[in-house]
Amino acid sequence: MGFFDRFRSRADEAPLPSLAALLEARGLSPDLPGLKALEPGFEAHRKADEREAWADAVAETVALGLALPEPWLDAQDHVLPEVVPTWQSEREGRWSRGFIDGLNQRIRVGRAADQAGDSVVMPAAWLKLWDQTADEVLDLALDHLRHRSEGAFERLPSGAYRSPWRDGADAARLLLPEVWQGLFKDQHPFLAIPSADTLLAAPQILLPKLMEEVGRSVQSGGRPLQLAVIERIGEKLMTARLQDPHPMAAPQKEMKHMDLLEALRHQEKDLDPALGLAATVSLVKTNQGKPLTLALWTEGAPVLLPETDLIAFSARNGEALGIFARQTLPRIHELRSESVSIWGPRRVRYDGFPTAEQLSRLERFATAEQMKALQAPSAPRPPAPRPAAGAPFNAQGAAPLPRHLQGAGLGVQDAE
């Protein structure tokens, strides 16, 4: 191609689409509040597909019912990270990234990002409007949180440690190991984030006390975040996987189940009633204190069944038919099932209802008579001694600390 041919080819290129034309094609007004301040970012794009994507981001923001953000030059000083349950981020559909099993990290934007009412969770579309990557914004948000994380953890009477900030971003400091990892030198740390403004930590020997502190947080009435405790193995954080015969395996299992029940409770609000009835889910315990999740399947309508440990079957007239292990349900191959398209915990829709012969193929957990007894209201009992305030997850059955460990090696000690 000759020198002058280049100029001729550029002249033949189609003109770049204007912002007004792109917005009109999407049914949007070119006079949207806040759009004028963002427009220089649009004009900087010199490719048609980039401009189309920018206009799509505006449309997506409007569809979410959000105002357009400030330009990045102004917004960059007002971003903070947050940690939320995975089901919540899936439900709300804003930008998020997996952190550990059951938890995602997101970004809040606003002049008071530490106050949920005065800030918003960043949607992915804003990254396009700002011409920023998710890594760039998240790194800056973490840096802002790091700068406001001065101060020492408070040592509670139980021996566990609690974050001092109480600014709505305490749980998010789980993302900053440098904030808490120095509490327990050469020890196996456990952490908990029962609410957004609470970060708890304790060494392994005080795990029962940490769980009691989680209970106190629950009783305080705050919105729960995650009840199950977290452990750090090497450089990796994960929801603690305590197995029998660990003395705290049952309390940890119970808290995991309570996290699941919280997700199912919110999920039920978003299920399409035309699909069927959402199975009622509850928590039961064996005689040995092992917690199990139980779903109730009643004859007469399609059921939307979550992945619980047990299923209690009930006839159309309310007659108890017994409780069975859910994992053995595939033995009834005649039942038609399909996965429900919904965020969060998996549910399966079943059209029919098993016959007596089909129920006999399942692994029985409780007979019909035992199920009736479980459903019957408990007889009045003499009042039990009141437990210590705020400790629904106590360490019953846990072995006491050996004398040589009591009060020793519990992390950073107070001066006195």
Side-chain angles (χ1 to χ4, degrees):
M1 179 182 290
F3 179 76
F4 292 104
D5 290 335
R6 296 180 184 177
F7 288 94
R8 284 194 292 271
S9 65
R10 288 176 185 174
D12 294 338
E13 289 180 359
L16 291 172
S18 69
L19 180 57
L22 292 173
L23 293 180
E24 182 181 357
R26 290 159 177 78
L28 299 175
S29 167
D31 299 319
L32 289 170
L35 184 61
K36 193 71 175 176
L38 292 168
E39 196 165 345
F42 171 83
E43 295 295 340
H45 291 290
R46 309 312 298 167
K47 294 182 179 179
D49 58 343
E50 291 177 352
R51 291 192 166 200
E52 292 274 0
W54 201 94
D56 287 339
V58 173
E60 183 179 336
T61 299
V62 173
L64 289 171
L66 297 175
L68 292 173
E70 295 181 299
W72 177 242
L73 188 64
D74 301 315
Q76 63 181 334
D77 294 328
H78 310 291
V79 293
L80 281 177
E82 74 170 354
V83 172
V84 296
T86 299
W87 64 261
Q88 182 180 341
S89 62
E90 291 177 358
R91 184 189 193 198
E92 297 176 1
R94 307 293 174 85
W95 179 88
S96 67
R97 175 178 292 172
F99 174 44
I100 63 173
D101 182 36
L103 291 174
N104 279 18
Q105 50 189 325
R106 306 192 300 189
I107 297 170
R108 297 199 74 91
V109 185
R111 293 285 172 177
D114 54 320
Q115 301 296 325
D118 298 323
S119 64
V120 296
V121 179
M122 182 193 76
W126 288 7
L127 297 172
K128 179 62 67 176
L129 298 179
W130 288 333
D131 197 24
Q132 299 291 313
T133 67
D135 285 337
E136 289 169 339
V137 179
L138 183 58
D139 286 347
L140 186 59
L142 289 169
D143 196 45
H144 289 334
L145 185 60
R146 190 174 290 111
H147 283 301
R148 55 191 289 174
S149 296
E150 295 182 0
F153 273 64
E154 173 191 3
R155 189 178 179 201
L156 302 173
S158 64
Y161 285 79
R162 184 176 63 195
S163 57
W165 301 283
R166 318 295 280 182
D167 59 0
D170 293 64
R173 290 175 171 91
L174 198 63
L175 302 168
L176 300 175
E178 64 269 29
V179 170
W180 45 263
Q181 66 184 357
L183 289 172
F184 316 114
K185 185 178 180 181
D186 301 325
Q187 295 186 64
H188 188 175
F190 283 81
L191 304 111
I193 47 172
S195 64
D197 63 354
T198 304
L199 172 59
L200 299 167
Q204 185 171 8
I205 59 174
L206 286 185
L207 182 56
K209 298 299 182 183
L210 178 64
M211 291 188 173
E212 289 180 6
E213 294 297 339
V214 171
R216 291 189 178 91
S217 178
V218 171
Q219 285 195 337
S220 69
R223 181 179 178 180
L225 199 162
Q226 174 172 297
L227 303 185
V229 302
I230 298 163
E231 64 179 325
R232 189 185 193 194
I233 300 179
E235 297 300 316
K236 186 176 181 181
L237 284 173
M238 63 183 67
T239 301
R241 300 173 181 175
L242 307 177
Q243 304 293 332
D244 292 327
H246 195 291
M248 301 311 297
Q252 172 73 343
K253 189 84 168 178
E254 182 174 352
M255 290 192 282
K256 284 184 178 180
H257 288 337
M258 292 182 70
D259 287 332
L260 172 63
L261 264 59
E262 178 74 4
L264 292 173
R265 184 175 67 83
H266 287 276
Q267 187 187 64
E268 188 173 343
K269 302 173 186 176
D270 292 352
L271 289 169
D272 184 355
L275 292 176
L277 297 177
T280 303
V281 181
S282 58
L283 192 63
V284 297
K285 288 186 179 181
T286 66
N287 291 334
Q288 294 75 34
K290 181 180 180 180
L292 299 169
T293 49
L294 171 71
L296 179 62
W297 185 348
T298 302
E299 182 183 15
V303 67
L304 309 180
L305 197 69
E307 295 183 330
T308 54
D309 298 309
L310 305 170
I311 305 173
F313 291 91
S314 180
R316 193 186 306 266
N317 61 3
E319 178 187 0
L321 302 177
I323 302 175
F324 301 84
R326 181 196 58 82
Q327 288 188 334
T328 61
L329 200 57
R331 296 178 185 177
I332 309 177
H333 54 83
E334 297 92 340
L335 283 176
R336 292 177 53 194
S337 66
E338 59 179 338
S339 293
V340 178
S341 179
I342 187 70
W343 54 265
R346 183 171 182 264
R347 286 187 189 252
V348 177
R349 181 181 186 270
Y350 288 90
D351 274 321
F353 189 82
T355 65
E357 184 278 326
Q358 290 170 341
L359 285 178
S360 68
R361 305 178 201 169
L362 304 183
E363 181 181 324
R364 187 185 300 275
F365 176 81
T367 64
E369 290 73 20
Q370 291 169 329
M371 178 177 164
K372 289 178 186 177
L374 183 65
Q375 293 174 327
S378 302
R381 296 181 180 179
R386 289 179 62 84
F393 306 117
N394 57 44
Q396 292 181 359
L401 294 179
R403 179 176 297 275
H404 71 282
L405 291 179
Q406 294 178 8
L410 305 184
V412 179
Q413 305 292 309
D414 295 333
E416 63 271 22

